[in-house]
Amino acid sequence: MPSIKVLNMTGAEVGSIELSEKIFGAEVNAAVLHAAVRAFLLNQRQGTQSTLTRTEVSGGGKKPWRQKGTGRARQGSTRAPQWTHGGVALGPKPRDYRVSLNKKTKRVALFSALSDKVAEGKLIVVDSIVSEEYKTKTMVAMLAAVKAEGKTLVVLPEVRPCVVKSLANIAKVKSTLSSTLNVYDILNADTLVVDKAAIEKLEEVYA
């Protein structure tokens, strides 16, 4: 069972926490992580792109010139794809890109992503991430104190407006809730800063 130290917002060590082996000490499954990231990115696509085919472009009802005898190539419509203002051949049409993963696969992927961050020493547990005012400076100081480097994902147990809005002003920093944590955000972040209560919520749900 992996153990990790718990820091406060000033960076001082205030204790340690035993992490669930099932969630934070699992074997990293690269194939499942790939499937989860691919599904996440595909599901972000709206699929609303569309082009007009020759049947949908206005005009072109009349044959531009007679079939034979002009010396020019035969043409049936001025809205064929080779004409200016003609329709688009084989262009994109609205479609659904959605890919679904079963619950077991999603869990394996989440556990793999979290375990990978623990193994790399990129998971930082903070006793309580709170703020009484909308102040970006407070969150910047906290991240510097706990030595969060690069792109950082801050995981909270519930919505804390002052914290969320203060973090939103910091470049390369994103906040999320333990209930909406996803594999892509975990892997996309260099450092994971997690509120201790969020760890407990994750273990309550999954362990």
Side-chain angles (χ1 to χ4, degrees):
M1 183 177 288
S3 177
I4 191 168
K5 61 185 179 182
V6 178
L7 309 176
N8 60 19
M9 288 183 63
T10 63
E13 187 174 341
V14 293
S16 63
I17 184 173
E18 293 288 331
L19 300 176
S20 167
E21 184 76 28
K22 178 182 176 182
I23 301 174
F24 298 96
E27 183 180 347
V28 178
N29 190 321
V32 172
L33 285 176
H34 175 268
V37 170
R38 177 177 175 274
F40 176 84
L41 292 175
L42 284 173
N43 292 344
Q44 302 310 299
R45 298 189 68 171
Q46 289 184 314
T48 54
Q49 73 277 37
S50 184
T51 52
L52 299 180
T53 65
R54 62 185 294 171
T55 64
E56 297 167 316
V57 179
S58 63
K62 181 184 177 184
K63 188 173 173 69
W65 51 76
R66 59 197 174 97
Q67 181 81 346
K68 303 173 75 67
T70 65
R72 290 181 287 187
R74 54 197 174 190
Q75 301 291 334
S77 170
T78 57
R79 295 298 179 261
Q82 72 271 21
W83 285 73
T84 302
H85 307 303
V88 176
L90 307 177
K93 282 294 184 183
R95 57 169 287 196
D96 184 11
Y97 289 92
R98 183 158 292 279
V99 172
S100 62
L101 297 176
N102 62 50
K103 187 185 289 186
K104 184 177 180 181
T105 303
K106 288 178 182 177
R107 289 194 173 194
V108 170
L110 180 62
F111 299 165
S112 290
L114 290 170
S115 299
D116 182 56
K117 279 289 181 279
V118 172
E120 290 181 348
K122 300 294 185 182
L123 187 142
I124 300 168
V125 179
V126 179
D127 185 38
S128 182
I129 304 173
V130 293
S131 178
E132 298 301 323
E133 54 186 347
Y134 297 101
K135 208 166 185 67
T136 302
K137 188 185 292 186
T138 303
M139 293 297 110
V140 170
M142 183 271 290
L143 293 172
V146 300
K147 295 182 172 59
E149 299 175 347
K151 287 189 287 187
T152 303
L153 180 66
V154 179
V155 185
L156 303 171
E158 73 273 328
V159 177
R160 295 171 180 168
C162 289
V163 175
V164 172
K165 291 204 172 184
S166 298
L167 288 169
N169 292 329
I170 309 172
K172 297 183 179 179
V173 175
K174 180 179 180 179
S175 65
T176 188
L177 302 178
S178 56
S179 58
T180 58
L181 191 60
N182 68 74
V183 173
Y184 178 81
D185 285 342
I186 296 171
L187 295 180
N188 192 43
D190 297 311
T191 308
L192 215 59
V193 177
V194 189
D195 190 293
K196 184 181 176 183
I199 293 278
E200 292 167 355
K201 278 200 170 186
L202 282 170
E203 293 186 347
E204 181 184 342
V205 172
Y206 294 112

